[in-house]
Amino acid sequence: MGLLSLAIWIPIAFGILLLAFGRDDRANLVRWTALIGSLVSFAVTVPLYTRFELGTASMQFVEKFSWIQRFNVNYHLGVDGLSLWMVLLTSFITVIVVISAWQVITERVNQYMGAFLILSGFMIGVFSALDGILFYVFFEATLIPMYLIIGIWGGPNKIYAAFKFFLYTLLGSLLMLVALIYLYNKSGGSFDIATWHQLPLAASAQTFLFFAFFAAFAVKVPMFPFHTWLPDVHVEAPTGGSAVLAAIMLKLGAYGFLRFSMPIAPDASREWAWLMIALSLIAVIYVGLVALVQRDMKKLVAYSSVAHMGFVTLGFFIFNDLGVSGGIVQMVAHGFVSAAMFLGIGVLYDRVHSRQIADYGGVVNTMPKFAAFALLFAMANCGLPGTAGFVGEWMVILGSVKANFWIGLGAATALIFGAAYTLWMYKRVYLGPIGNDHVKELKDLNAREFLMMSLLAIAVLWMGLYPKPFTDVMDASVGNLLQHVAKSKLP
């Protein structure tokens, strides 16, 4: 069994094992088993980076076995510079989420931990799949554990939020399935994604495929105006669910644009780039203003995620190396920063049981260590140089200016809005005199929380101060993608 198969199936196997445990009578055993499972899963993904060959756009660590012979469906896996860091990010965030739930989740612990490990395997499957049907199966399978995580461990309106999440993302995916079947017939009976990249397609076919994929991926990102499900889901989801949703699940849609929309329908992608750029800029500017007026910390960070993901899609559709590379870097950086922001809100919620900004004030007086971590992550969310949040956004802004000055200017306003809503939230929650008796009684981070925050802080600073390992991996694949998109595939 290859490394990618191990990365997919080890967390799934551990997740199934956890589901077989008793509900709450062996909670500590469940927690340690989940931690071991997540650490083994992460350890398996590390050689993907250490053995990765730079300077080539070819798929690496490829595995291919026949799955459904009658329809020529294969179990076909591989990673390149576009997907490698997403696999590593997924396994890393899973470890953090398991640590975050250690003392917080006390009911159905085995089901909670099992759902996250199974979800981790499915998401790695999405980033590794090189067969259209295999991609679709993993893409849809991620909905099931996340639906359960929101619906069982969520807030008061958890059922509404879970249904909204499931229906929005499922309906968008149905058009993608039609597109996959069309490509299967057009290619003479192949679900191989690389084969689809080479198909000559008429302008009308490319337009249909572009919008079919758009329906699935734009909802998942989520792009404006399909973003309305995200704040509701974030508010109701448990802390770990919000962290994984923002850090990884939103990236499934962005990755889909890179793997399907742009290389399969390059002419349509160039023709409709203006629409993608416009929707991305609206997300960056308008949704950033919406974040400014939020009173719920989780809702503010949820809208912030929509604005930051607008940078990702903007970078992809300006079609230059700085933009596309910046978009991918932003995907990884946002994974670290958004997870840290949501987990930080979870730390406060576990103590005060409120996410309302007005219920806090002066937290730095009682939780100085936590306030220091929160400041670092807030600065990263603003795009401060030296943090992960700066690198991708800066590259996208440079690429945007290179393509069109006004697009670059519009993108740059995000740095202003990002600083406004993030620092204003920080000021009201952490600074000033102690706001009330609840804040007065707060205790600073325990060892488990300190470990969790430290791991994320190291990731944020490492990527911000030394992004070269991240960009080196993706350079060849980005160059190859841009060359491919530049060529017309009209018959």
Side-chain angles (χ1 to χ4, degrees), residues 87-261:
V87 172
L88 283 155
L89 175 68
T90 304
S91 60
F92 174 72
I93 294 295
T94 303
V95 175
I96 302 293
V97 166
V98 168
I99 296 171
S100 76
W102 202 267
Q103 294 168 326
V104 178
I105 302 298
T106 56
E107 295 180 355
R108 300 183 178 182
V109 182
N110 66 315
Q111 295 173 18
Y112 183 87
M113 296 293 195
F116 272 109
L117 286 170
I118 291 169
L119 176 62
S120 175
F122 287 159
M123 291 188 295
I124 291 173
V126 173
F127 295 123
S128 308
L130 300 181
D131 180 277
I133 290 297
L134 187 65
F135 175 90
Y136 185 79
V137 168
F138 280 130
F139 191 82
E140 294 299 282
T142 59
L143 299 181
I144 300 167
M146 183 54 81
Y147 174 80
L148 295 174
I149 288 164
I150 298 164
I152 296 174
W153 294 276
N157 294 320
K158 58 190 177 185
I159 303 300
Y160 165 76
F163 266 102
K164 193 171 185 180
F165 162 76
F166 196 90
L167 289 176
Y168 261 70
T169 48
L170 180 66
L171 289 172
S173 301
L174 292 177
L175 273 174
M176 178 172 72
L177 180 60
V178 175
L180 299 181
I181 294 169
Y182 173 85
L183 287 164
Y184 172 75
N185 291 324
K186 195 74 177 174
S187 62
S190 174
F191 280 110
D192 183 63
I193 296 172
T195 301
W196 291 349
H197 288 181
Q198 306 305 322
L199 284 178
L201 297 166
S204 57
Q206 287 197 39
T207 301
F208 156 71
L209 290 168
F210 178 82
F211 282 104
F213 289 130
F214 176 83
F217 302 141
V219 170
K220 191 75 98 176
V221 167
M223 294 183 70
F224 176 90
F226 310 103
H227 67 287
T228 55
W229 63 269
L230 187 69
D232 290 333
V233 172
H234 269 311
V235 167
E236 299 304 326
T239 300
S242 288
V244 168
L245 181 63
I248 307 160
M249 286 197 77
L250 305 188
K251 314 307 186 297
L252 302 181
Y255 174 73
F257 283 120
L258 289 176
R259 189 64 77 207
F260 287 85
S261 304

Side-chain angles (χ1 to χ4, degrees), residues 370-448:
F370 175 60
F373 279 117
L375 181 61
L376 169 63
F377 300 136
M379 290 300 179
N381 203 49
C382 299
L384 183 77
T387 65
F390 173 75
V391 183
E393 291 187 5
W394 179 241
M395 290 172 74
V396 171
I397 291 169
L398 285 178
S400 300
V401 170
K402 190 176 172 183
N404 182 294
F405 172 78
W406 298 107
I407 294 173
L409 182 64
T413 60
L415 298 177
I416 300 167
F417 296 139
Y421 58 69
T422 307
L423 295 181
W424 195 31
M425 178 180 76
Y426 188 88
K427 172 185 175 292
R428 288 179 289 169
V429 172
Y430 295 92
L431 302 183
I434 292 174
N436 53 57
D437 289 341
H438 292 300
V439 175
K440 191 175 183 179
E441 294 167 6
L442 290 177
K443 288 183 170 56
D444 213 342
L445 297 174
N446 58 37
R448 173 187 61 84

Side-chain angles (χ1 to χ4, degrees), residues 224 227 281-291 417:
F224 176 90
H227 67 287
L281 286 175
I282 292 171
V284 167
I285 299 168
Y286 166 71
V287 178
L289 290 171
V290 172
F417 296 139

